[in-house]
Every structure is written in structure tokens, then in C-alpha cells.
């Protein structure tokens, strides 16, 4: 138990509050998901969501988020200000109740929806409990009030400290470093979520300022604001893609008391990008709002194609998937009592929502197709093309199954390992036969398999699905992995039941070509085997860049800093004195060197591939690998200073 507040007796409520805060501090992950980087950033989203609620209620227009120099966070809004009057039941200021009683925030006004961050509105009191210090300032009724806390416990009663001609709430908090394993905020992570929130809640101005000066002493600031909401969100998502139609089809309506907003368009790629939200929560596992959307898409397009006789000549059966190639869409619904399901509680279960979304999208899409016959024809033609490609891909798979590559259907050039338990096994995808040969000699054949890749693999970002699976290098990869694409229900689903290795390690030269091959392989995995990445099976090997030698002392270095440290230590700071071998390619190492530096689990470094933010990843792959040149050129110009030019 913590020390008594001076001069006050404990009431049942105080004890209840303390027990609540203690519970949060004892099991923080239960309340905010984890105590690492994600949980740290969730703290910000919890506070921001209260400002968003105030904006949805119509009383707040501006939200300012600041990362302070000490890695504390300040969030300020120009809403009404949290009420400070005495809470009749709790015998304390309403402000103190909101800030210290678990789940005390909740619905502010019956008419609005409590949106919530990633973990469904645990409330600002949780953030308070997990912060070594927190301060709240409320301007309301011409006065300014403050209260401060330590680990959620008030240090004094709410006090009036002055006058103010504005209204609003300002919260500053410093996460407890004894609880969080990560306490340094990432600007980009916050920026992505605040950008999404500005699209999801049209009209709100959200600013992000980083007061931690960078190397040049500059501070960063971004303003996020969207008047047309999801329409602009889809334009942003598709900005690196070749548009199939010039319009974003947009509907924002309310059915049976459920606000529904959907924006969608088509591009010339073969990928489907659908982001869905419930009360601003990114429902990455989908749910009834997504099934309703898809049902509307399939029915409306199929009906239009049939009525306009566009399918007669095609003479093929089109399926639901065919309508999704090249589709980019964002679905956002606000549900008063959302039921979340799924592994990460990000799948919407409310059955009634499916019909609501289907009706809203069906009406909007029907109107668009009727009013835009030219674009409708373009969309249906693409659907027919997708259907033909799907049928060709199915034939390619059936052919492949009937004529296995060699022996047990494994690629001839795969040097397999002895262990048959996938959990112990690793597959190295190695650039080139020479490095592949060295890797075969250097590896531990018990649990390490080698698949040499002959140079660049197909850029799947620009290829149709069936072309992807006709490419020999790609077929070698997924055949060696033991995965198959497509199930009777979903031709794009990845079947990983027979995955043969739990670590898939991309090992390429530490040069521009090697990076390009890394990117091509990652594009294939992201577009066609995303679950491999999501389950953490994909890694990138890190061969050393240098071998530094001074007399009898030799050390491998993986970056410039390590090289400089060796020079400082053994060469008196002079590079001339020290012998430096720059490894341009894996082929320059013999099998022992490759083993001890890059393959030996005891000494190697592996970078695990993860998808931080799906929308960002999708945009990045389209921009880097897609047809549109302008966004790629812009990216290269913006990042040229980071490119290490090989001498
Ligand atoms: C920086 C974080 O938390 N802003 C908030 C409000 C406004 C009201 C409110 C919040 C009453 C007792 C439930 C004001 N006037 N920013 C924020 N702005 N909470 S949180 O009310 C809380 C309810 O508990 C508010 C009239 N109605 C509501």
C-alpha cells in the first residue's frame, strides 16, 4: 500500500481508486497490450482519443501533441475542458474522477461515441497510473484549474490557479521507466496514427511537434487536417499507384443510428488494399463491416455487368475476388456497443453492421456506375481480366502439382537440412550460385538449408498473379518453403500448414544489387505471403561490411561506427595505419568466415522483418516497386543524403 495522502482520511472510494491504479501497475499489459514500444505509444492514443471524442461531440477543433525534450508527452485540445465541479457520488472534483478512476471517462454525451485507441478506451486513468508524473490543466468557465499526480495518485486536490479566456484540456505525462521497457517516443509512429485520425475524423486539426532537437538542432512539426476525410485517405494510399479511374467513390451516411463512411477507388495493380475502422480502431482482422462492404461490391458490380450485357462475351464465371484486384478502400463505422472478436480483438462481430454497410455502399456504388458508364466499363473489364488471370493461376498450380519439380517436388538446387522439425530449421535464400556454394559448405547441415537464387527475381508489384507463380525462381521459393497459395474458399490465402522452415533468412551481398534483391523478395512476401512476415518467420542476414586488421588483431565490422572504433583503438585514430578489407559480396568470404560472421546462431546478427503499419507498408512497396516513377524519384531525392556511396 502507498503512504497516506497528508491530512485526509481514506474513503471506500479512495481505496477503490488505489486498488484500481495498483491493478494497472501490477498488470499493465492487460490494460495497454504490452510494456514495450506499442504500449508506450498507446498511452498517447488514449489521451488523444479523449480529445477526439470532444471533437466528435462538436466542441473541439484543434488538438496539439508535443513530444517534450524529456520524452514526456503533452496533449492539448480546445474543447470545453473536463468538468471540475464536485462529483456528488465520489465527493471529489469530476476532473479528479476522470483522471484517477478506471474507465471513468467513457461516453461523455449520450449522443456521441467513445472512440478508443488500440485497446478500446481503457481511459486516461490508466495512462496516469503508468506515468511517474502527470499534470492536467483545465480552462473552463473563465478559470484555469490544475492537478498533478504521481503514478496516478493525486498530489493535491484540484486547485484554481488563475483566469482564462479560452476553454480546453491539457495533459502532460511522463511514462514510468520502471514499467516500460521502451520510453523513447518515435515521431513517425505517432505521426502515422495522427494522420489516420485526421482522415477518419474530417475537419479536426491535429498537430505533432517534436521538441527533441535533431543533430542539426532542428525540431520537427507536422499538421494533419483533412476536410474530405476518407476520400483524401484513399487518395493518399493510392498516390503512388497508376489510377484505373479518376474518381474516389465516397459515401458518408448514417443508417439506423450507425454512421458509415466508405471511400474506394481502383488502380491498375493486382493488389487489394482495404483498411477498416470501428470507432477509429483499426480493425486489422476485419469483421462484419468488411463483409458487408465486399458483399455490396460483388453484388453491385455483378448486377451492373449482367444488366449492361458486359459479361456475355467474356463467357467466364467471375468470383468475389475478381472485384478486389486493384481495389483501394477505407471503411469507417461508428458503433455504440462494438463487439470485438479475433486473436487481437480487432475483428468486428456486430451482425447488424454488415447489412448497414452493404446497403450504404450498394446505393452509392450503383449511383456511381449509372452516372459513369465509361468508368464502369473500365472496372468491369478489369474484373474480367482478373477472372482470366485467376483461372490461369489455378491451371498453373494444378500443372505444378501434377509435375513436381524433382524428387519429392523440391527444387533441384535446394540443399536441404537433415532435421525434419520446421521449428528447428532455417532456409537461407542466397544471392547467386557462388555464394550459394560457399553457404552450403559453411552451414550446419543439421538445421540449415540453402536455396541459391539466380540473380533478380520477378518484381511482383508489376506482374499479374498467374505470372508470379509461373516464374521459376518464385516457384522454387514457395516450393522449398512447402507453402501453397490458394484454397477453395480463397485463391489468395496462404496455406502454411506444411511450412518446412520457421526461419527464412534472406542473405545477399552488402551492395546495391543485394539490397535490390532483398526488396524484390520482400515485395513477393508482402504481396503474396504476408502471413509469413506477420508470424515473424522472415529475416535478413547481416554479413559484415569490413574486416579490419592491425598486426595480429582482426575484427569484423558491420558498420562505419565499428570500423572507426577499431581504427581509434588499434590505429591511434589513423585509418592509414590499419588494413581494411571492404566486403562487397558474400563471395569474398570463405565458408568459415561466412559461417562465423553471418550464419552461426551463436554470433550472427539477424534482422527480423515486421510490418509496422500496413497502410505505410503498402504505400512504400507501391512507391518503390510500382509503375509510377514520380513518387519513387521524389523518395530518392528526399533520401539521397542517407545513401552510403560505395567508394
Ligand atoms: C488532452 C486530453 O481529455 N479532453 C476532454 C472533455 C470534455 C468533457 C468531458 C473530457 C463528465 C464526467 C465524464 C465537458 N463539458 N483531452 C481531454 N474533454 N471529458 S476529456 O466530460 C467527462 C464526462 O465524466 C465535457 C461537458 N461535457 C463533457
Amino acid at each position: 500500500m502507498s503512504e497516506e495522502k497528508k491530512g485526509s482520511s481514506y474513503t471506500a472510494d479512495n481505496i477503490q481508486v488505489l486498488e484500481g491504479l495498483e491493478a494497472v501497475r501490477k498488470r499493465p499489459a492487460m490494460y495497454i497490450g504490452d510494456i514495450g514500444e506499442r504500449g508506450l505509444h498507446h498511452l498517447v492514443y488514449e489521451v488523444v482519443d479523449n480529445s477526439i471524442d470532444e471533437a466528435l461531440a462538436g466542441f473541439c477543433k484543434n488538438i496539439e501533441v508535443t513530444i517534450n525534450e524529456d520524452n514526456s508527452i503533452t496533449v492539448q485540445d480546445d474543447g470545453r475542458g473536463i468538468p471540475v465541479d464536485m462529483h456528488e457520488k465520489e465527493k471529489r472534483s469530476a476532473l479528479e474522477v476522470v483522471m484517477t478512476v478506471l474507465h471513468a471517462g467513457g461516453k461523455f454525451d449520450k449522443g456521441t461515441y467513445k472512440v478508443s485507441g488500440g485497446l478500446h478506451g481503457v481511459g486516461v486513468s490508466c495512462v496516469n497510473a503508468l506515468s511517474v508524473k502527470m499534470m492536467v490543466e483545465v480552462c473552463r468557465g473563465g478559470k484555469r484549474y490544475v492537478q498533478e499526480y504521481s503514478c496516478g495518485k493525486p498530489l493535491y486536490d484540484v486547485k484554481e490557479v488563475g483566469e482564462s479566456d479560452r476553454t480546453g484540456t491539457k495533459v502532460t505525462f511522463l511514462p514510468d521507466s520502471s514499467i516500460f521497457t521502451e520510453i523513447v517516443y518515435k515521431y513517425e509512429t505517432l505521426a502515422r496514427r495522427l494522420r489516420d485520425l485526421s482522415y477518419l475524423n474530417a475537419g479536426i486539426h491535429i498537430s505533432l511537434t517534436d521538441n527533441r532537437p535533431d543533430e542539426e538542432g532542428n525540431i520537427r512539426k507536422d499538421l494533419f487536417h483533412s476536410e474530405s476525410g476518407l476520400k483524401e485517405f484513399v487518395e493518399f494510399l493510392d498516390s503512388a499507384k497508376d489510377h484505373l479511374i479518376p474518381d474516389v467513390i465516397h459515401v458518408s451516411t448514417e443508417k439506423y443510428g450507425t454512421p458509415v463512411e466508405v471511400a474506394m477507388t481502383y488502380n491498375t495493380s493486382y493488389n487489394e488494399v482495404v483498411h477498416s475502422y470501428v470507432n477509429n480502431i483499426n480493425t486489422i482482422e476485419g469483421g462484419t463491416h468488411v463483409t458487408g462492404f465486399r458483399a455490396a461490391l460483388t453484388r453491385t458490380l455483378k448486377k451492373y455487368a449482367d444488366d449492361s450485357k458486359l459479361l456475355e462475351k467474356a463467357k467466364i464465371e467471375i468470383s468475389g475476388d475478381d472485384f478486389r484486384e486493384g481495389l483501394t478502400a477505407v471503411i469507417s463505422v461508428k458503433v455504440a456497443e462494438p463487439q470485438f472478436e479475433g486473436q487481437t480483438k480487432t475483428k468486428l462481430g456486430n451482425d447488424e453492421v454488415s447489412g448497414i454497410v452493404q446497403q450504404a455502399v450498394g446505393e452509392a456504388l450503383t449511383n456511381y456506375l449509372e452516372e459513369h458508364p465509361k468508368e464502369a466499363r473500365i472496372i468491369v473489364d478489369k474484373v474480367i481480366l482478373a477472372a482470366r488471370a485467376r483461372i490461369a493461376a489455378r491451371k498453373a498450380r494444378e500443372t505444378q502439382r501434377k509435375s513436381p519439380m524433382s524428387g519429392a517436388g523440391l527444387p533441384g538446387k535446394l540443399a536441404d537440412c537433415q532435421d525434419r522439425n520446421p521449428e528447428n530449421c532455417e532456409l537461407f535464400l542466397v544471392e547467386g550460385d557462388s555464394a550459394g556454394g560457399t553457404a552450403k559448405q559453411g552451414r550446419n547441415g543439421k538445421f540449415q538449408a540453402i536455396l541459391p537464387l539466380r540473380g533478380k527475381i520477378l518484381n511482383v508489384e508489376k506482374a499479374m498473379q498467374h505470372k508470379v507463380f509461373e516464374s521459376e525462381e518464385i516457384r522454387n521459393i514457395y516450393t522449398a518453403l512447402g507453402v501453397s497459395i490458394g484454397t477453395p474458399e480463397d485463391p489468395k490465402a496462404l496455406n502454411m500448414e506444411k511450412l518446412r522452415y520457421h526461419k527464412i533468412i534472406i542473405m545477399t551481398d552488402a551492395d546495391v544489387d543485394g539490397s535490390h534483391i532483398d526488396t524484390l523478395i520482400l515485395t513477393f512476401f508482402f504481396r503474396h505471403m504476408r502471413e509469413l512476415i506477420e508470424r515473424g518467420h522472415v529475416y535478413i542476414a547481416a554479413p559484415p561490411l569490413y574486416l579490419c586488421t592491425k598486426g595480429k588483431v582482426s575484427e569484423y565490422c558491420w558498420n562505419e561506427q565499428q570500423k572507426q572504433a577499431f581504427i581509434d583503438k588499434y590505429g591511434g585514430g589513423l585509418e592509414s595505419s590499419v588494413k581494411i578489407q571492404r566486403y562487397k559480396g558474400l563471395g569474398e568470404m570463405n565458408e568459415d568466415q561466412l559461417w562465423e560472421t553471418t550464419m552461426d546462431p551463436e554470433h550472427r546478427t539477424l534482422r527480423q522483418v515486421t510490418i509496422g503499419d500496413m497502410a505505410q507498408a503498402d504505400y512504400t512497396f507501391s512507391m518503390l516497386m510500382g509503375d509510377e516513377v514520380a513518387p519513387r524519384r521524389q523518395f530518392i531525392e528526399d533520401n539521397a543524403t542517407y545513401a552510403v556511396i560505395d567508394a
Side-chain angles (χ1 to χ4, degrees), residues 218-352:
N218 304 319
I219 63 165
R220 277 186 78 175
K221 177 160 188 157
D222 279 291
L223 296 172
F224 304 109
H225 167 249
S226 164
E227 272 315 321
S228 58
L230 296 195
K231 186 171 176 296
E232 267 183 88
F233 199 169
V234 165
E235 285 164 355
F236 162 70
L237 291 169
D238 253 28
S239 53
K241 298 183 183 172
D242 183 21
H243 302 154
L244 185 78
I245 55 172
D247 316 287
V248 172
I249 303 162
H250 182 221
V251 56
S252 184
T253 181
E254 184 166 320
K255 297 266 181 205
Y256 312 112
T258 301
V260 175
E261 185 178 5
V262 175
M264 61 176 277
T265 190
Y266 276 94
N267 56 62
T268 58
S269 84
Y270 307 110
N271 312 306
E272 174 197 14
V273 173
V274 174
H275 297 289
S276 61
Y277 298 83
V278 175
N279 298 351
N280 291 340
I281 297 166
N282 186 355
T283 41
I284 50 179
E285 295 174 274
T288 50
H289 50 334
V290 178
T291 45
F293 167 73
R294 289 200 168 130
L297 191 70
T298 303
R299 288 204 188 150
T300 307
L301 281 171
K302 209 172 173 73
K303 184 176 181 315
Y304 182 87
D306 289 341
D307 295 352
S308 48
K309 312 267 185 285
L310 290 173
L311 286 178
E312 274 173 357
K313 294 185 292 303
K315 296 203 180 356
I316 50 168
E317 186 54 41
I318 50 178
S319 84
D321 288 306
D322 303 331
F323 297 103
R324 291 153 52 181
E325 277 207 3
L327 171 71
T328 297
V330 180
I331 305 159
S332 172
V333 294
K334 299 254 181 353
V335 178
E337 305 290 344
Q339 311 301 323
F340 290 104
E341 303 166 354
Q343 208 167 351
T344 56
K345 294 286 173 241
T346 55
K347 181 173 185 175
L348 181 66
N350 301 57
D351 290 333
E352 73 282 3

Side-chain angles (χ1 to χ4, degrees), residues 47 50-51 54 75 77 80-83 98 104-105 108-109 140 169:
V47 180
N50 282 342
S51 297
E54 188 62 359
V75 181
D77 69 42
R80 294 168 289 186
I82 301 175
V98 170
F108 300 138
D109 305 314
R140 186 179 167 89
T169 303

Side-chain angles (χ1 to χ4, degrees), residues 435-484:
T438 311
K440 282 176 191 172
Q441 289 158 3
R443 67 169 170 155
N444 179 331
K446 282 197 187 57
F447 65 95
Q448 292 182 324
I450 308 295
L451 179 66
L453 297 176
R454 278 198 192 92
K456 306 283 172 82
I457 69 161
L458 176 73
N459 174 0
V460 300
E461 192 66 20
K462 298 180 183 174
M464 295 188 76
Q465 172 110 349
H466 65 291
K467 287 292 175 208
V468 170
F469 295 101
E470 284 166 8
S471 144
E472 188 192 349
E473 288 300 353
I474 286 193
R475 281 172 57 185
N476 285 342
I477 292 174
Y478 75 79
T479 310
L481 289 177
V483 297
S484 56

Side-chain angles (χ1 to χ4, degrees), residues 46-55 57 59-60 63-64 74-77 79-83 85 87 94-95 97-99 104-109 124 136-137 140 168-172:
E46 278 307 321
V47 180
V48 168
D49 285 332
N50 282 342
S51 297
I52 295 275
D53 276 332
E54 188 62 359
F59 299 98
C60 156
I63 302 170
E64 295 168 34
T74 297
V75 181
Q76 176 164 7
D77 69 42
R80 294 168 289 186
I82 301 175
D85 50 316
H87 197 287
L95 173 59
V97 173
V98 170
M99 301 303 288
K107 285 179 186 43
F108 300 138
D109 305 314
V124 67
V136 63
E137 294 173 59
R140 186 179 167 89
T169 303
K170 179 177 177 183
V171 169
T172 299

Side-chain angles (χ1 to χ4, degrees), residues 203-219:
I204 299 180
H205 294 260
I206 307 176
S207 74
L208 176 61
T209 306
D210 191 346
N211 280 337
R212 301 165 302 180
D214 63 14
E215 299 78 52
E216 287 84 46
N218 304 319
I219 63 165

Side-chain angles (χ1 to χ4, degrees), residues 511-560:
D511 61 11
V512 174
D513 280 342
S515 304
H516 188 205
I517 291 173
D518 292 350
T519 311
L520 288 165
I521 295 173
L522 290 179
T523 306
F524 167 59
F525 284 155
F526 179 74
R527 290 298 182 202
H528 297 279
M529 298 192 167
R530 192 169 300 179
E531 213 175 329
L532 272 182
I533 300 176
E534 288 170 333
R535 291 196 189 180
H537 293 305
V538 181
Y539 297 81
I540 297 179
L545 285 178
Y546 304 101
L547 175 60
C548 299
T549 305
K550 173 74 180 148
K552 290 195 179 346
V553 178
S554 282
E555 277 182 17
Y556 291 104
C557 296
W558 275 260
N559 54 46
E560 298 302 317

